Amino acid sequence: MRGLRKLLIPAIAWFAVVPPLAEVDLDAVRAWREAHGFEVLKSFAELLAIPNTPAHPEALRATAEWARKELARRGAKAELLELPGAPPLVWARIDAPGTRRTLGFYVHYDGQPVDPASWTHPPFQPVLYTRAMESGGARREFPGPGEPIDPEWRIYARSSGDDKAPIAAMLAALDAMREQSAAPTANLVFLFEGEEETGSPNLGRFFETYRDRLDVDLWLICDGPAHQSRRPQLVFGVRGYSGIDLTVYGASRFLHSGHYGNWAPNPAWMLAELLATMRDDDGNVTIEGFYDSVEPLDAETRAAVAAVPGVETELKRELGLQRTEGGGASLIERIMLPSLNIRGMASATVGPTVRNIVPRTAEAAIDVRLVRGTNAEDLHDRIEAHIEKQGYTIVREDPDMQTRLAHPKLIKVVRRPGYPAVRTRIGDPVVAPIIAAAERAAGEPVVLMPTLGGSLPLYLFTEALGDPIVVVPIANHDDNQHAPDENLRLANLWYGIDLFAALFTMP
Amino acid sequence: MRGLRKLLIPAIAWFAVVPPLAEVDLDAVRAWREAHGFEVLKSFAELLAIPNTPAHPEALRATAEWARKELARRGAKAELLELPGAPPLVWARIDAPGTRRTLGFYVHYDGQPVDPASWTHPPFQPVLYTRAMESGGARREFPGPGEPIDPEWRIYARSSGDDKAPIAAMLAALDAMREQSAAPTANLVFLFEGEEETGSPNLGRFFETYRDRLDVDLWLICDGPAHQSRRPQLVFGVRGYSGIDLTVYGASRFLHSGHYGNWAPNPAWMLAELLATMRDDDGNVTIEGFYDSVEPLDAETRAAVAAVPGVETELKRELGLQRTEGGGASLIERIMLPSLNIRGMASATVGPTVRNIVPRTAEAAIDVRLVRGTNAEDLHDRIEAHIEKQGYTIVREDPDMQTRLAHPKLIKVVRRPGYPAVRTRIGDPVVAPIIAAAERAAGEPVVLMPTLGGSLPLYLFTEALGDPIVVVPIANHDDNQHAPDENLRLANLWYGIDLFAALFTMP
C-alpha cells in the first residue's frame, strides 16, 4: 500500500523549492514519527527481508537497488556505482541551494554471514518482540495505523542493527522533513557500501574511480552501537583490523584413538599448548613486543577515556560474567590497546558426530584489532616469531609428505588482510556542530568516545579522500550484531530519525 | 543371479551328514576362493551397501537380517535375539556331531557415524580401488567370473574393515568347507552385535536374557586390525574405554570481538590454557596420579611387548610424522598405558562461516583408554580434581545466570560411560590350538599382542559369561576405521577366509 502510494507521488526535488530551515523542529519530527511509525517499521521490515550476505549475491544487489529507489523517491539523484567483481555502491546526492558545505553519510548495506540453525527465527524474516528475547520479550504483530508503539520493542533480523538501521532512519528523517517543508542546510552525499563485512576490499578502488562524486567536507560514518549506558555517543575513531589463521598438523590421516592415541601427535592438544603460551592468566598478550608500538595517549584523550561512563558492573550482570580480562581494567581502557581474540576453533567434531579418532588438524581463527601506532604486518611478524620460538615450522599451504617428515611441529599461518586504525581529534572545529546536533537529538549530553572497539575501513576516508570522519552510531549496544538473533531496539531507531533530521539541517 | 541360485538350493544342514575333518585342506579353500572370489566380493558389497549406523535404525536392523538370512542359508539355526530399545543380536548355531566343545564367534555389525562430506565416495556405496587411494590407487569395476583378483585391491565403504569383514569371511569359509564337504570340529555359536560403536549399552542385558544360548568354551572376538607390519596377529586383551566432555563458558551471548574482545573472557582461550596444563611436551599426562594404578607388567607380558615387531619407522613415514609422543617409546609401550586423547574440539566456527565474535563456549571431547588396574571413575575423579585445581567450578548442566555470576571460571564436565580393560593370559591352555590355526592360515608365525590399543566390551564375556577371550583380527591396520574412506585390503579378507576355515575345523 505505502509503496504504491509513494509511486504515485512524483519524485520532485521538494527541498529545492522550499527555503532551508536552520535546524528542523524536532518536536514536529517526533509528532510525524508517532503518526507514521508503523509505516517506518513496515518499510524497514521490507529492507530487512532482503538477504544481504555474500552467500546471496543477487539479493545483495537487490538490497542496494532497494536503497537507491527509496532515495530517488525522496528526490535524491541516486545511482548504483559499479566496479567489476564488486557489489555496487549506492550513491545519492541532495543539493541544498545557497551553500557550499557538503556532508557525506556512509552506511554499509551488507551483513555478516548467518548460520540459520542458531537463530530463533529465520534471519531474513523480520519479527517484532516486546523486549529482548533474553529479557522475556514476547513476539507480537507489527503495529497498524494509530496503534501506539513501545520504544522498548525490538525488531529481529540480520543487519537490523548492523547496518541497515541508519538507512531506515535517514529515509524516515527525509520524510519527516518533507512534512515540515524543511530542506537540508548542506549538500548531502549518501554512500552505502556492500562489502564492509568482508573487509571493504574494493572501497579504495571505488574512491579512485568515483572521486569526483565524493567531494565532501566531513564524513559521517553511520555504523556501530550506541554506548552501553544507552546514552547516544559520537565516536572519533575506530580500531584497525586484521586476522591470522592457524592450522596445526598431526598425522596425514585420521587415526583410531585407541590404536594410535598418545603415540601419534594430537594437533588439538598441540594447538591448545601453543595458544596457552600467548596470554597470561589475565588475558594480557605475552607475545614479545605485542604492545610496544602503541601510541601513548595524549592528555585530551586520557580525559575522554576517564569521562566515559562506567558500564562494567551492569554489563557483567547482563552477560553473566563474574570476572573480566585485563585485571579489572575498564572496557574503554582495554579498547585503547590492540587485541588478540580467538573467534573460532575447530578440530574434528564434537557432539553427535564425534568419533574416536586422533584429529588430523586443529584450527584457530584469530582476529587482531589495531590501535593508533600499531600495524598488522608488525603484529603478524611478532606472532610468527613467537610461534617459531615454540618449535614450530611455519608453512603457507598444507604441507606435503616431505615437509611433514622434515619438521617435528608444523603450522600453517595465513595472514588475513585488514586495515589500520583511525582517530579524529575531538577538538577539531569541524566536529563542534556535529556534537550540537547529536545533543539536540538526544536531549542530553552525548558520550564522546575516543575510539570504537570495532573496526571500519575509515583509513580510506582519511587517507584516500583526505577528509575527517565522525562516527554517529544509532544501534543499541545489545543488538547481537555479528551473531544470531541480531535486533534493533525501536528507541534507537527513533533516535536515529531525530539525529539525521538534526544533522541534515544543522546550522 | 547368485542370490537366486542359492535360494533354489535347500538350506539343509550338510555338515550334519558329512564326517568332520580335523583341519580343512587350506589349499582347497584357496582354490575355491580363486574360483569364487568375485562372488565373495559381490556378496560383501551387498552387505556394505546397507547403512549400519544409529542414524539409520531401519537399515541397521536390515544389516542384522541380511546376516541372519545368509547364516540360515548355510544351514545354521539362525535368529534375531530381541530386547526392547536395542538393535537385535544376530545369533546362530551350527552343531558338530560327536563333540562337546563349543566355540563362540563375536562380530559387531554396526559402524561408526559417517560425515558423507568428508568421504571421496558415498560411505554406503562400496567401490573397488586397485590400491589405497593415498598410494595412487585407481577406481575399477568389480571383477566378473574368471577375472584374476589382485590381493592389493581395496574395497571402500563404512564398516568394510570395522566390522563387516569377518561376516563376509565367515560366510565364505562355510561355502569353501561345503565344497570340500568339511564339517566343523566344534559346535559353532555366532553372535553379531548391533551397538558396539555406541559402547554396547545392552550387551550385558542380552547376556542375562539369553545366557542359555551362549554356553561356549572360548570366545573368538572377530574385530580390530592386523598388526601394522601386515603380519596377522592374535590379541589377548583390549583397553577399556571411557570419555569426558568439557565445556568452558564465556559470556551468555556471542559478543562482537572488536567491542568486547580481550575484556570479556574468551572461553576458547580458557579451554586451551586448561588443556595445556594436562600434558607435558612429550604428550605424557601430567594430571596427578593418572598412571598410579596401572598394574605393573609381569615377565611374560614384558617378553611379548618386547617381541612385538617394530613398525614405528614405517608408520611414521606412512603418516608423515617426524616425531611421536612419549619421548620415543614404542607404540605397544604407549598402548600398555592409559591414554587421554582430544577427539574433537570446537568453539564458534572457522572457515567460510567464521565471524568476528567472542565465542560463548568452547568444547573438547576427550576419550580415555583404560588398562588393567585402572578404572574410569578413578581417572574421571583425578581429571576433575586437576580441573578444580586450575580455579574452575564444575557444573553438570549449562549454568544459569546466578551460577555464572557466582564463579570466575565455569566448566561443564560430562562423564561418558565406558568399560574396563580385559587381558587373557597368553599361556592359558585354551589358547594353544587358536595360535596353531592362525599360523596355518597365515603360513608364518603370527604376532602375539598382549593388548589391542582399541576398546571392546570384552569384560562382559569375561565377567558376565565367565569365558576367556582371544581376539582374531583380520582387517588391514591402514583401513581408516572410524574415519572417512574406510577400506579393506582384499589380502586381509582372503586371510580371514582361511582363518575361519582353520578355526572351524581345528583339532
Side-chain angles (χ1 to χ4, degrees):
Chain A
M1 273 287 280
R2 179 168 173 267
L4 186 65
R5 183 166 60 78
K6 289 182 42 174
L7 278 171
L8 297 175
I9 298 174
I12 55 160
W14 50 274
F15 35 76
V17 298
V18 299
L21 280 180
E23 305 199 333
V24 75
D25 179 350
L26 285 182
D27 288 338
V29 169
R30 285 158 195 157
W32 175 90
R33 186 240 294 155
E34 281 186 19
H36 297 270
F38 74 99
E39 287 178 9
V40 173
L41 291 184
K42 201 170 161 193
S43 168
F44 189 29
E46 193 180 303
L47 171 59
L48 292 173
I50 314 174
N52 63 335
T53 73
H56 309 93
E58 290 308 311
L60 190 58
R61 174 172 289 272
T63 312
E65 180 55 24
W66 186 96
R68 189 202 63 75
K69 270 192 194 149
E70 292 294 324
L71 285 163
R73 280 174 188 170
R74 285 160 180 84
K77 181 179 171 192
E79 297 173 27
L80 297 189
L81 306 185
E82 302 281 357
L83 274 184
L89 280 188
V90 182
W91 176 90
R93 184 178 173 103
I94 292 175
D95 279 317
T99 177
R100 301 183 64 176
R101 184 171 60 171
T102 306
L103 295 176
F105 292 85
Y106 166 91
V107 180
H108 67 89
Y109 66 81
D110 64 318
Q112 279 272 317
V114 291
D115 169 21
S118 312
W119 286 66
T120 305
H121 301 282
F124 297 110
Q125 291 178 22
V127 292
L128 205 57
Y129 268 71
T130 56
R131 287 195 302 286
M133 286 178 188
E134 62 270 24
S135 308
R139 188 176 173 181
R140 56 150 294 145
E141 293 304 301
F142 279 81
E147 206 173 326
I149 296 176
D150 183 339
E152 291 303 325
W153 290 356
R154 299 200 180 202
I155 187 164
Y156 281 83
R158 170 56 87 222
S159 295
S160 50
D162 179 22
D163 185 30
K164 287 176 173 174
I167 299 176
M170 285 170 186
L171 296 175
L174 290 173
D175 289 341
M177 286 166 60
R178 180 181 195 171
E179 180 104 344
Q180 292 184 59
S181 299
T185 52
N187 305 309
L188 308 179
V189 170
F190 299 91
L191 191 72
F192 301 169
E193 188 197 2
E195 46 188 355
E196 191 271 342
E197 297 292 4
T198 43
S200 298
N202 296 296
L203 195 59
R205 281 205 299 144
F206 272 115
F207 282 0
E208 281 169 27
T209 311
Y210 295 101
R211 177 174 300 228
D212 58 332
R213 297 178 195 226
L214 302 172
D215 184 18
V216 308
D217 301 305
L218 170 69
W219 282 101
L220 283 310
I221 309 294
C222 311
D223 195 5
H227 191 256
Q228 294 94 328
S229 63
R230 294 223 186 282
R231 272 170 61 195
Q233 67 180 344
L234 295 174
V235 182
F236 298 89
V238 289
R239 289 202 286 187
Y241 174 83
S242 97
I244 196 160
D245 291 347
L246 310 179
T247 305
V248 172
Y249 296 88
S252 60
R253 55 183 171 86
F254 289 107
L255 295 173
H256 187 293
S257 64
H259 300 313
Y260 300 100
N262 286 197
W263 178 80
N266 185 309
W269 231 306
M270 291 168 71
L271 178 65
E273 285 156 359
L274 175 62
L275 292 169
T277 63
M278 295 185 180
R279 314 199 323 169
D280 68 16
D281 279 350
D282 267 338
N284 298 307
V285 179
T286 50
I287 292 168
E288 196 180 328
F290 189 81
Y291 299 113
D292 280 5
S293 60
V294 174
E295 190 178 288
L297 302 186
D298 56 25
E300 193 173 41
T301 305
R302 282 203 306 276
V305 166
V308 168
V311 290
E312 288 74 7
T313 305
E314 193 183 321
L315 254 183
K316 285 166 69 179
R317 191 163 49 231
E318 183 186 322
L319 299 174
L321 295 176
Q322 193 273 348
R323 75 182 176 101
T324 54
E325 294 183 352
S330 70
L331 182 51
I332 181 65
E333 284 167 348
R334 293 297 279 174
I335 286 171
M336 300 308 286
L337 295 173
S339 76
L340 195 68
N341 175 65
I342 300 177
R343 55 189 184 139
M345 192 161 71
S347 185
T349 59
V350 299
T353 60
V354 72
R355 289 164 293 152
N356 287 326
I357 50 151
V358 183
R360 283 188 308 181
T361 58
E363 296 173 67
I366 290 175
D367 63 300
V368 182
R369 303 285 170 169
L370 308 168
V371 298
R372 196 178 257 229
T374 61
N375 75 72
E377 283 303 301
D378 174 59
L379 291 188
H380 288 167
D381 288 347
R382 291 180 190 276
I383 294 168
E384 290 194 0
H386 177 88
I387 290 171
E388 286 173 333
K389 222 178 289 172
Q390 316 308 312
Y392 278 90
T393 303
I394 291 174
V395 294
R396 302 297 171 185
E397 296 184 350
D398 286 341
D400 59 19
M401 284 305 256
Q402 197 179 346
T403 308
R404 287 172 177 271
L405 290 169
H407 304 284
K409 292 180 174 185
L410 276 174
I411 189 169
K412 181 171 72 177
V413 179
V414 176
R415 297 174 173 212
R416 298 283 167 201
Y419 42 77
V422 158
R423 211 169 69 219
T424 298
R425 281 178 49 247
I426 296 179
D428 190 313
V430 80
V431 164
I434 307 296
I435 296 178
E439 299 198 332
R440 276 190 75 216
E444 62 175 333
V446 299
V447 176
L448 304 181
M449 185 65 72
T451 186
L452 210 61
S455 307
L456 294 167
L458 300 188
Y459 78 101
L460 291 171
F461 296 88
T462 56
E463 292 181 15
L465 299 178
D467 303 315
I469 58 96
V470 177
V471 184
V472 290
I474 65 169
N476 39 303
H477 74 281
D478 55 353
D479 66 348
N480 290 342
Q481 68 179 77
H482 291 210
D485 292 339
E486 181 174 351
N487 65 84
L488 186 73
R489 179 173 161 260
L490 296 196
N492 289 70
L493 184 59
W494 296 168
Y495 162 70
I497 296 171
D498 295 351
L499 175 68
F500 288 115
L503 287 169
F504 293 165
T505 63
M506 70 188 193
Chain B
M1 274 291 280
R2 178 168 174 270
L4 187 65
R5 183 165 61 80
K6 288 182 43 176
L7 279 171
L8 298 175
I9 300 175
I12 55 160
W14 50 272
F15 35 77
V17 297
V18 299
L21 278 181
E23 303 198 338
V24 74
D25 179 351
L26 284 182
D27 288 337
V29 168
R30 284 158 195 157
W32 175 89
R33 186 238 298 154
E34 282 186 21
H36 297 270
F38 74 100
E39 287 177 9
V40 172
L41 293 184
K42 201 171 160 192
S43 167
F44 190 27
E46 193 180 303
L47 171 59
L48 292 172
I50 314 174
N52 62 336
T53 73
H56 309 93
E58 290 308 312
L60 189 59
R61 174 172 290 271
T63 313
E65 180 54 24
W66 186 96
R68 189 201 63 75
K69 270 191 195 151
E70 292 296 323
L71 285 163
R73 280 174 188 169
R74 285 160 180 85
K77 180 180 174 192
E79 299 173 26
L80 297 189
L81 306 186
E82 303 280 356
L83 273 183
L89 282 187
V90 182
W91 176 89
R93 185 178 173 103
I94 292 176
D95 280 316
T99 176
R100 300 182 64 175
R101 183 171 62 170
T102 306
L103 295 176
F105 292 86
Y106 166 91
V107 180
H108 67 90
Y109 66 82
D110 63 320
Q112 278 273 317
V114 291
D115 170 21
S118 312
W119 285 66
T120 305
H121 301 282
F124 298 110
Q125 292 178 21
V127 294
L128 205 59
Y129 268 71
T130 57
R131 284 195 304 285
M133 288 177 186
E134 62 271 23
S135 309
R139 187 176 172 180
R140 56 151 292 142
E141 293 303 301
F142 278 79
E147 206 173 326
I149 296 177
D150 183 340
E152 291 304 323
W153 290 354
R154 296 197 183 206
I155 188 163
Y156 282 83
R158 170 56 85 224
S159 296
S160 52
D162 179 23
D163 185 30
K164 287 177 173 174
I167 299 176
M170 285 170 187
L171 296 175
L174 290 173
D175 289 343
M177 286 165 60
R178 181 180 193 170
E179 180 104 345
Q180 292 184 60
S181 298
T185 53
N187 306 308
L188 307 179
V189 170
F190 299 91
L191 192 70
F192 301 168
E193 188 197 2
E195 46 188 354
E196 191 273 342
E197 296 293 4
T198 42
S200 299
N202 295 296
L203 195 58
R205 280 205 300 145
F206 273 115
F207 283 0
E208 281 169 28
T209 311
Y210 296 102
R211 178 173 300 228
D212 57 332
R213 296 177 195 226
L214 302 173
D215 184 18
V216 308
D217 300 305
L218 169 69
W219 283 101
L220 284 308
I221 308 295
C222 310
D223 195 7
H227 191 256
Q228 294 95 327
S229 64
R230 295 222 186 281
R231 272 172 60 196
Q233 66 181 345
L234 295 174
V235 182
F236 298 89
V238 289
R239 289 202 286 187
Y241 174 84
S242 98
I244 195 160
D245 292 348
L246 310 179
T247 305
V248 172
Y249 296 87
S252 59
R253 56 182 169 87
F254 288 108
L255 294 173
H256 187 293
S257 64
H259 301 312
Y260 301 100
N262 285 195
W263 178 81
N266 186 309
W269 231 306
M270 291 168 70
L271 178 65
E273 285 155 358
L274 174 62
L275 292 170
T277 63
M278 294 184 181
R279 312 199 324 168
D280 67 16
D281 279 352
D282 267 339
N284 299 307
V285 179
T286 51
I287 292 167
E288 196 179 327
F290 189 81
Y291 299 113
D292 280 5
S293 60
V294 174
E295 188 179 289
L297 302 187
D298 55 27
E300 192 173 42
T301 305
R302 282 202 308 273
V305 166
V308 167
V311 290
E312 288 75 7
T313 305
E314 192 183 321
L315 252 185
K316 284 165 70 179
R317 189 163 51 233
E318 182 187 322
L319 298 173
L321 295 176
Q322 193 273 347
R323 75 183 176 98
T324 52
E325 295 182 350
S330 70
L331 182 50
I332 182 64
E333 284 167 346
R334 293 296 279 174
I335 287 173
M336 301 307 286
L337 295 172
S339 76
L340 195 68
N341 174 67
I342 299 177
R343 56 189 183 139
M345 190 163 71
S347 185
T349 60
V350 299
T353 60
V354 73
R355 289 164 293 152
N356 288 324
I357 50 150
V358 183
R360 283 188 306 181
T361 57
E363 296 173 69
I366 291 175
D367 62 299
V368 181
R369 303 286 169 168
L370 309 168
V371 298
R372 195 180 261 228
T374 60
N375 76 72
E377 284 303 301
D378 174 59
L379 290 188
H380 288 166
D381 288 347
R382 292 180 189 275
I383 294 168
E384 291 195 359
H386 177 89
I387 290 172
E388 286 174 332
K389 223 180 285 172
Q390 315 307 313
Y392 278 89
T393 303
I394 292 173
V395 293
R396 301 299 171 185
E397 297 184 348
D398 287 341
D400 59 18
M401 284 304 257
Q402 196 180 345
T403 308
R404 286 172 177 272
L405 291 168
H407 304 284
K409 293 181 172 183
L410 276 175
I411 190 168
K412 180 171 71 176
V413 179
V414 176
R415 299 176 172 208
R416 298 283 167 203
Y419 42 78
V422 158
R423 210 168 70 219
T424 297
R425 281 178 52 247
I426 297 179
D428 190 313
V430 81
V431 163
I434 307 297
I435 296 179
E439 298 196 335
R440 276 189 74 217
E444 61 177 333
V446 299
V447 175
L448 304 181
M449 185 65 72
T451 185
L452 209 62
S455 307
L456 294 167
L458 301 189
Y459 78 100
L460 290 171
F461 295 89
T462 56
E463 293 181 14
L465 300 178
D467 302 316
I469 59 96
V470 176
V471 185
V472 290
I474 66 170
N476 38 303
H477 74 283
D478 54 354
D479 66 347
N480 290 341
Q481 69 179 75
H482 291 209
D485 291 340
E486 181 174 351
N487 65 84
L488 185 75
R489 178 172 161 262
L490 296 196
N492 290 71
L493 183 59
W494 296 169
Y495 163 69
I497 297 171
D498 294 351
L499 175 68
F500 289 114
L503 288 170
F504 293 164
T505 63
M506 70 188 192

